[in-house]
Amino acid sequence: MRISELSRKSGVSVPTIKFYIREELLPAGRLTSATQAEYDEQHLRRLRLIRALIGMRGLSVEAARQVLGALSEEQSSPHLVLGLALGAIRLSEEPTEESEQLAAVEALIHELGWQVHKDAPARSVLAETLASLQQFGMALDWHALLPYARLAEETARLDLDQLDGVTDPLELAERAVVLTTLLEPALMALRRLAQEHESAQRHKE
């Protein structure tokens, strides 16, 4: 396909496609003349993934380039592809300070029996949340998070069920990013609706 058709199918403008090529996010097409190039389905899949990483995950061009490079090296492992696409695995080592909250997160993960990368950014997010709760006088320990973690397990199963049967690494990564990014606000909205319903049930007048 020509670049105009690639643009139409991907929803990415021609100038943006050319920018991605210059930034080496997208491989150049096969030259058919001095001014024309052809693109194939792999270009389309990669372009859709780039759009998901930058437009949905909010990655910078440099961060997206790093993710795409890592994905190219790990295409044979769907588990690593998902971890890299969703940001569950750090691409560079960042020192983390040991804290009481991080120890609590480690205890939670151990209790659940979860297989989680030692540098998963979500560990720090949980630790920071526990610290913030403590500052507001709600010193919840990791045991209080167990019921929420079980709900998260079920949500994760539903998420990965949506990806069953996808074998192309680029398509798998793109679908995972789109599914996670677009569903997160919906999950929050469902929680708010459920809270309203539960409150109505508990406080009937």
Side-chain angles (χ1 to χ4, degrees):
M1 71 187 86
R2 292 190 173 181
I3 195 169
S4 57
E5 185 178 359
L6 180 64
S7 173
R8 180 177 58 79
K9 287 187 174 181
S10 66
V12 179
S13 69
V14 170
T16 301
I17 293 174
K18 291 180 177 179
F19 170 73
Y20 289 157
I21 293 173
R22 287 196 305 272
E23 292 295 321
E24 299 181 348
L25 295 178
L26 184 71
R30 183 178 65 84
L31 288 175
T32 56
S33 70
T35 58
Q36 295 288 337
E38 284 189 346
Y39 302 85
D40 56 24
E41 289 300 316
Q42 279 298 103
H43 285 93
L44 180 58
R45 289 193 183 101
R46 188 176 175 99
L47 188 53
R48 284 173 172 166
L49 176 56
I50 294 168
R51 183 181 64 174
L53 291 173
I54 294 176
M56 293 184 176
R57 266 197 65 194
L59 296 186
S60 66
V61 169
E62 177 57 31
R65 185 187 294 110
Q66 291 179 13
V67 170
L68 290 165
L71 282 172
S72 296
E73 296 176 4
E74 304 294 349
Q75 288 195 23
S76 62
S77 171
H79 176 62
L80 288 177
V81 166
L82 289 174
L84 290 164
L86 296 175
I89 299 174
R90 293 185 193 275
L91 290 175
S92 59
E93 292 187 10
E94 297 178 17
T96 55
E97 295 183 4
E98 291 299 323
S99 68
E100 179 183 344
Q101 287 77 24
L102 275 174
V105 171
E106 187 62 37
L108 172 66
I109 292 171
H110 178 75
E111 176 70 19
L112 291 163
W114 284 359
Q115 299 177 49
V116 180
H117 196 278
K118 63 182 179 63
D119 294 324
R123 289 175 181 264
S124 298
V125 173
L126 276 176
E128 291 166 6
T129 300
L130 289 173
S132 297
L133 287 168
Q134 192 171 35
Q135 290 177 356
F136 280 91
M138 298 178 65
L140 300 179
D141 65 14
W142 62 267
H143 296 87
L145 295 179
L146 276 172
Y148 292 94
R150 296 300 183 193
L151 291 173
E153 278 185 324
E154 185 58 34
T155 301
R157 290 190 192 97
L158 292 171
D159 286 341
L160 293 190
D161 283 347
Q162 306 300 317
L163 303 175
D164 277 351
V166 181
T167 56
D168 182 272
L170 295 179
E171 184 180 359
L172 179 65
E174 182 222 350
R175 286 197 184 189
V177 173
V178 171
L179 179 71
T180 301
T181 305
L182 294 184
L183 270 184
E184 280 182 344
L187 293 176
M188 183 60 72
L190 286 170
R191 184 185 185 190
R192 294 288 183 264
L193 293 172
Q195 286 174 335
E196 180 180 350
H197 169 72
E198 184 65 19
S199 176
Q201 294 301 303
R202 292 190 183 200
H203 306 292
K204 290 180 179 179
E205 297 181 359

